C-alpha cells in the first residue's frame, strides 16, 4: 500500500493586508492510496483511490488483517481497510479530526499491547501529541498535549511487558531538536459511561521529560527496540543532523545515555525493524534496520550489542538510485536454507515520484 502527497501549484493573486504584509493564497494538498501486488520484484497495480488530502504516514495494525490508518494533511487520522487477500478494494471507514484542519498530521503509531491495540498516538505540525481509540466512532473526545514548540515530526509507543498496560509511555521528536518522553496513566471507565461512544479507558499525560542536548537538529524518527537486557528499553533515533543514535533512557534524568551513534550522510526520516536476532549464549541482540535517509537514499543498518555491553552500528546495505528525497521505505526478510539471506525493499522518492523494488544480500562478519 502506497500513500501519496501532491502539493498543487500556487494559484490566484497575492493579497496585501491592512498591515502591508503580503499574504499568499494557501496551496492545496491532495493525494491517493495505491495498492500494488508484488511478484518477482515487479509491482502490479490492483486498486487506487484519489483523496482530497495528502497522506503523510501509513501503518497497518498487526492485530486485524487488512486494517490500516493514514495521517492526513487536514489534521485527521483515517481508518481504512482492504480485503485480507490484498486485492482491494480500498475503503476509508472513519475520519478522526484530532487536530485543526489547517494543520498536518505528521505521524502516528498503533499501540502494540493487545489489550490497547485500537489506540493510536499521533503528532501534528503545531507540535501537539494526541491519543485516540479507533474502536469508537467519531466525533469523540481526544487526549492531547502541546508536546513541542515546533513541528512534532514523529511519535512512538514503548513496549515494556505486562505492567505496561496501565503505565505506558510515548516518545516524540520535534523540529526544535527535542526528544520528549511522555509518561502516561490509564484510567478505566466503568458503568454507563462505557455505553454508546465513550472509550472504556482514558490516557492521562504526565509532565513530559525533555532532552534538547543530544540532537543537533530536528528529531525526525524514534524507534523503540524490544527490551533486550534487564528489561531496559533501548531507543533508536534519527535526526536532520544525519545521525542515527542508540539511546538508553535513565530514570530520574532528562537526558538519555548515548550508547552509539553513526552519521548516515542524510537526514534520517524514518526507521523500521526488518529483522531481530535475540540474545543467545552470551551474544547480545542484533537488529537489522531500514533507514530512509532523505537525500542520501536508503540504508540497511545492523545494530548490535557486543560483549561488554558496547553497542555497534554498521551499514550493511544501501540504495542510492533515487534522484530526490527518500521519505518512505518498507521491506521484509528473504529467507534461505540458513535463515535470513537478505531483504526485499520497496523505497520511494518525493519529487521524481519514483517507486523502486530492490533486494540485497547480507554477509555475516
Amino acid at each position: 500500500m502506497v500513500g501519496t502527497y501532491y502539493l498543487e501549484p500556487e494559484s490566484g493573486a497575492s493579497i496585501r493586508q491592512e498591515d502591508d504584509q503580503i499574504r499568499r493564497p494557501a496551496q492545496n494538498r491532495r493525494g491517493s492510496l495505491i495498492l500494488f501486488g508484488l511478484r518477482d520484484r515487479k509491482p502490479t497495480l490492483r486498486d487506487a483511490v484519489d483523496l482530497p488530502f495528502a497522506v503523510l504516514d501509513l501503518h497497518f495494525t498487526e492485530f486485524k488483517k487488512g486494517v490500516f490508518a493514514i495521517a492526513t494533511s487536514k489534521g485527521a487520522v483515517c481508518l481504512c481497510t482492504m480485503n485480507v487477500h490484498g486485492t482491494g478494494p480500498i475503503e476509508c471507514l472513519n475520519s478522526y479530526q484530532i487536530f485543526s484542519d489547517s494543520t498536518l498530521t505528521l505521524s502516528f503509531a498503533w499501540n502494540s499491547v493487545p489489550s490497547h491495540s485500537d489506540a493510536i498516538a499521533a503528532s501534528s505540525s503545531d507540535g501537539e501529541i494526541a491519543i485516540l481509540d479507533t474502536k469508537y466512532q467519531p466525533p469523540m473526545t481526544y487526549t492531547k498535549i502541546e508536546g513541542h514548540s515546533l513541528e512534532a515530526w514523529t511519535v512512538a509507543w514503548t513496549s515494556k511487558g505486562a505492567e505496561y498496560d496501565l503505565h505506558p509511555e510515548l516518545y516524540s521528536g520535534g523540529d526544535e531538536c527535542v526528544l520528549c518522553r511522555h509518561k502516561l496513566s490509564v484510567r478505566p471507565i466503568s458503568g454507563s459511561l462505557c455505553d454508546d461512544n465513550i472509550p472504556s479507558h482514558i490516557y492521562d499525560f504526565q509532565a513530559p521529560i525533555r532532552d534538547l542536548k543530544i540532537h543537533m537538529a530536528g528529531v525526525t524518527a524514534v524507534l523503540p527496540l524490544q527490551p533486550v537486557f534487564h528489561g531496559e528499553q533501548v531507543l533508536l533515533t534519527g535526526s536532520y543532523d544525519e545521525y542515527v543514535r542508540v539511546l538508553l533512557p535513565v530514570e530520574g534524568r532528562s537526558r538519555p545515555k548515548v550508547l552509539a551513534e553513526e552519521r548516515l550522510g542524510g537526514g534520517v526520516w524514518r526507521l523500521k525493524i526488518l529483522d531481530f536476532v535475540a540474545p543467545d549464549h552470551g551474544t547480545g541482540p542484533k537488529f537489522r534496520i531500514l533507514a530512509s535517509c532523505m537525500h542520501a537514499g536508503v540504508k540497511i543498518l545492523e545494530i548490535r550489542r557486543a560483549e561488554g555491553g558496547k553497542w555497534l552500528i554498521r551499514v550493511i546495505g544501501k540504495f542510492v538510485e533515487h534522484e530526490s528525497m527518500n521519505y518512505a521505505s518498507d521491506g521484509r526478510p528473504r529467507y534461505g536454507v540458513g535463515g535470513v539471506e537478505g531483504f526485499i525493499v520497496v523505497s520511494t522518492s518525493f519529487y521524481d515520484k519514483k517507486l523502486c523494488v530492490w533486494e540485497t544480500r547480507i554477509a555475516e562478519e
Side-chain angles (χ1 to χ4, degrees), residues 158 160 169-171 179-183 209 211 214 222-225 229 231-237 245-259:
T158 61
K160 291 185 174 181
E169 289 184 354
L170 288 175
Y171 280 87
L179 175 67
C180 204
R181 182 181 185 181
H182 307 272
K183 290 192 174 186
I209 302 169
D211 171 76
I214 290 178
V222 178
L223 178 64
L225 305 179
F229 61 101
E232 294 176 314
Q233 180 74 59
V234 177
L235 301 176
L236 190 65
T237 65
R245 295 175 174 89
V246 181
L247 305 180
L248 177 64
V250 180
E251 287 298 330
R253 293 175 52 188
S254 62
R255 187 175 187 180
K257 182 179 180 181
V258 180
L259 302 177

Side-chain angles (χ1 to χ4, degrees), residues 60-216:
F60 281 81
T61 172
E62 59 184 294
F63 297 99
K64 297 177 182 178
K65 290 186 176 179
V67 176
F68 64 100
I70 57 174
T72 82
S73 61
K74 292 187 177 180
V77 168
C78 292
L79 189 66
C80 307
T81 64
M82 59 178 229
N83 68 38
V84 296
H85 303 293
T87 56
I90 302 166
E91 295 184 58
C92 293
L93 301 179
N94 289 319
S95 179
Y96 299 87
Q97 193 66 51
I98 48 178
F99 305 118
S100 164
D101 62 7
S102 63
T103 67
L104 311 180
T105 304
L106 295 175
S107 74
F108 74 91
W110 291 96
N111 193 325
S112 61
V113 173
S115 59
H116 294 250
S117 60
D118 293 294
I120 283 178
S123 67
S124 81
S125 56
D126 281 349
E128 288 187 308
I129 308 298
I131 300 174
L132 65 142
D133 193 329
T134 58
K135 286 197 303 288
Y136 302 92
Q137 304 289 322
M140 54 185 287
T141 301
Y142 310 109
T143 306
K144 287 197 288 190
I145 188 174
E146 293 182 5
H148 297 268
S149 60
L150 297 174
E151 292 91 339
W153 292 120
T154 186
V155 66
W157 299 88
T158 61
S159 178
K160 291 185 174 181
E163 77 281 2
Y164 166 72
D165 280 8
L166 295 179
H167 301 283
E169 289 184 354
L170 288 175
Y171 280 87
S172 61
D175 200 51
E176 77 280 41
C177 312
V178 169
L179 175 67
C180 204
R181 182 181 185 181
H182 307 272
K183 290 192 174 186
L184 306 169
S185 58
V186 179
R187 292 188 290 116
I189 298 177
S190 58
S192 62
L193 289 179
C194 288
D195 298 335
D196 300 320
N197 204 38
I198 299 177
S200 56
H201 54 264
I202 293 178
Y203 293 89
D204 290 320
F205 283 93
Q206 299 178 22
I209 302 169
R210 306 175 191 274
D211 171 76
L212 49 75
K213 295 183 179 180
I214 290 178
H215 302 87
M216 299 298 104

Side-chain angles (χ1 to χ4, degrees), residues 51 56 120 231 274 284:
L51 301 171
L56 289 99
I120 283 178
L274 291 175

Side-chain angles (χ1 to χ4, degrees), residues 26-59:
Q27 287 181 270
N28 292 323
R29 298 174 177 88
R30 54 183 173 85
S32 62
L33 290 171
I34 308 173
L35 177 63
F36 292 98
L38 191 62
R39 173 175 289 185
D40 298 327
R41 296 173 52 186
K42 295 181 179 180
T44 302
L45 179 64
R46 291 184 173 177
D47 196 19
V49 175
D50 291 327
L51 301 171
F53 44 74
V55 178
L56 289 99
D57 205 3
L58 186 159
H59 299 285

